[in-house]
Amino acid sequence: MNTSKKMLKRLLILTVVIIFLLTTTGARVFYLQAVRGEELAQKAESQQLKDTEISAMRGTIYDADGNVLAQSATVWNIYIDPLEIDDEEERNLIVEEFSTLFEYDDEEKAELYEKTKAENHYEIVEKKVENDVKEKISEFVSENKLGDCIGSEQATKRYYPYGSLASCVIGFTGSDDQGLSGIEAYYDEELTGTNGRIITAKDAVSNKIASDYETSVEASDGDSVYLTINQTIQYYLEKGLRETMEEYEAKGAYGVVMNCNTGAVLAMSSMPDYDCNEPYILTYSKDKKAIKAIKDKTEKQEAESAAVQNQWRNFTVSDTYVPGSVFKTFIASAALEENVVSLDTTYTCTGSIKVDKYTMKCHYHPGHGTETFTQGLENSCNPFFITVGQKLGVHNYFKYFDAFGFTEKTNIDLPGEASPQYYTEDQYGIVELSSASFGQTNSLTPIQVCTGLCAIANGGNLVQPYLVSSIVDSDGKTVKKTETTVKRQVISSETSATVREMMKSVVDNGTGKNGYVAGYSVGGKTGTSTKLGESEEGEGDKYIVSFGAIAPSDDPEIAMLIIVDEPNQDLGGGALCAPIAAQVVEEAMSVLGIEPKYDDDELKNISKQAPNIVGKSVADAQSELKEYGLNYIVIGNGDTVARQCPTGAGTIPNGGTVFIYTDDAEKQTTKVPNFKGLTVSEAKDLAKMNDLNLEISGNNMSSGTVVAFRQSEETETVVEKGTVITVTFKNTQSVLD
């Protein structure tokens, strides 16, 4: 009995233990499956599968003619498998090879050594390695049988073939291929592709097993974008801005060129700029010099960082400025449209005008005397335009201020567009209205002002500015095409034509003479605004000067705004900005296929095709050149022309000299002299003295002091005698209007 009870007790205990164990096990299984099932499954998958990402190619950025401005290419990430490195000898071999290849310093070398000792199968050593370097690594791996230790995986890298060209428009990408500024940032979603994957199975010790267990998903490349930017117009805009900024040690120089009929931006630049391939490198010599002079290390780093970020900033879109007298074109448009003035309206300028208790001065303190409305714009007369603004009245002034788009962003397709800073209609009194009437009081973005100029140029329509003309997918299919958007009619076509003619007079007879381009009727308006509150003690006022232009004024194709910020001399937009605009107009007209129309005076200075006289007798060549109205100099004693300069494929100014070489003559050369600062007659004499032909360009026919400021060949360059040197002139008379 006792034995039976003991057995029963033991069975009972055993049963309880079994039930307890089963319950505990069941609970554990339930916990692992229901509570942690997903987590554990993911861990198991990560241990059993290797997931390798295949980078998608970012879409290409093209200019208007299909030239590549930004493109991605295949590069390689190099990694090591520390657990496959057998011994210290292999470890040191790898460290030494990579240190030599990538020029590591001692700290970087030590970091790599630590990576070789890591307790895992994957350590990145170098990212985005070019193919030639990857090939060297592959040779090293093969020679030393290190295939299990070192590997590579495909990645992509962004390249910008033209470096700094249109950098403020294009922008750049970060280390993870994301757009950080410009078009790269604004269209980042479209440009970014979808990465692919290769998933492979691994055994218990993390080795890859048969490809039967491999799954792959192809990468899908990003869409490509075509810009409205014209490479040639962009180049000459940047060239003019950069040269002027550096010569006058300006804070910056900015420009926008638009197709005034469509809103397409043909060129846009903000100086100082940067190389899109190396966006963190400082470029402007003035900034580098100032930073170098800073002694404190922290202060120097902060200054350099600020200067680099300033290079990235697109002033034409992301900053506002007081437009100054360029704004008078909009006041003229509004006043003519409302019939409060006409071209016959006159005003007598005494040099100042009383407004309430304030005296507002004209930039020409003696006064302009009695002027017509056109002359008032030619002279950029502040008192005249104050009276015009007062006739217009606050309500009508603000109606057109709003209609020209100055109360809202343009919504151009670039990131970081600034909002205008302006007085609302109820904030205007007589003083504010008077000040606003000659371009003070309100702050606008350059893209707003240039878009407003487009409306004056194109017959009165405010168009939407844009930079991307189309977006194309990786299969070449167009997924988006930008059409011209007319927001509203601001002024009539009659008013547009009248103001265009007034702007042409500004270039022909007024403050914008340096905007003149032979063969093309250019309209323009100069401007200067004082940067109030920014003068430092002991210094004079700081200025921002500008020039707005349209061309050709009789049938406009482009509108343009050029700005120079804080030049080191008190020179206005007519002296600094108009010459840049003239050069851009000349190149743009050629690019757009608009033929010049020369008047009789212009024809005297225009070059023509040189006759081809090679192979002819010297006597026949001389006779032919006389018929062309050209001079000649014969070099050699032969009877036949062996060569000539300028060649028959080139051009030569009217009355120029052709150098004729006979069979027995050697080429003769000369050095290009310095024409800068000379008058037209002085430059002609110097060219003749040095056996060169002089082609005259720019503003050389206006009254006042006209001097050379640019030449096609640098001083001291050795050229053949008879070479044509183009020298560009400008009027040195300047006003801060």
Side-chain angles (χ1 to χ4, degrees), residues 363-375:
H363 67 84
Y364 186 59
H365 293 174
H368 292 107
T370 301
E371 310 163 281
T372 64
F373 192 32
T374 296
Q375 289 171 332

Side-chain angles (χ1 to χ4, degrees), residues 174-193:
S175 58
D176 294 329
D177 230 19
Q178 77 279 23
L180 296 181
S181 69
I183 292 294
E184 292 278 29
Y186 192 89
Y187 287 95
D188 188 55
E189 185 176 341
E190 291 83 354
L191 289 163
T192 301

Side-chain angles (χ1 to χ4, degrees), residues 182-212:
I183 292 294
E184 292 278 29
Y186 192 89
Y187 287 95
D188 188 55
E189 185 176 341
E190 291 83 354
L191 289 163
T192 301
T194 303
N195 289 344
R197 323 193 79 81
I198 297 177
I199 302 172
T200 54
K202 297 188 293 186
D203 62 19
V205 290
S206 296
N207 293 317
K208 179 181 175 182
I209 58 179
S211 59
D212 294 345

Side-chain angles (χ1 to χ4, degrees), residues 624-640:
E624 186 173 346
L625 291 174
K626 284 181 181 178
E627 289 180 12
Y628 270 80
L630 297 173
N631 301 309
Y632 55 83
I633 293 176
V634 179
I635 301 172
N637 299 312
D639 297 324
T640 304

Side-chain angles (χ1 to χ4, degrees), residues 150 167 187 353 429 431 604 624 635:
I150 302 173
S167 59
Y187 287 95
I353 186 172
V431 174
K604 295 176 184 177
E624 186 173 346
I635 301 172

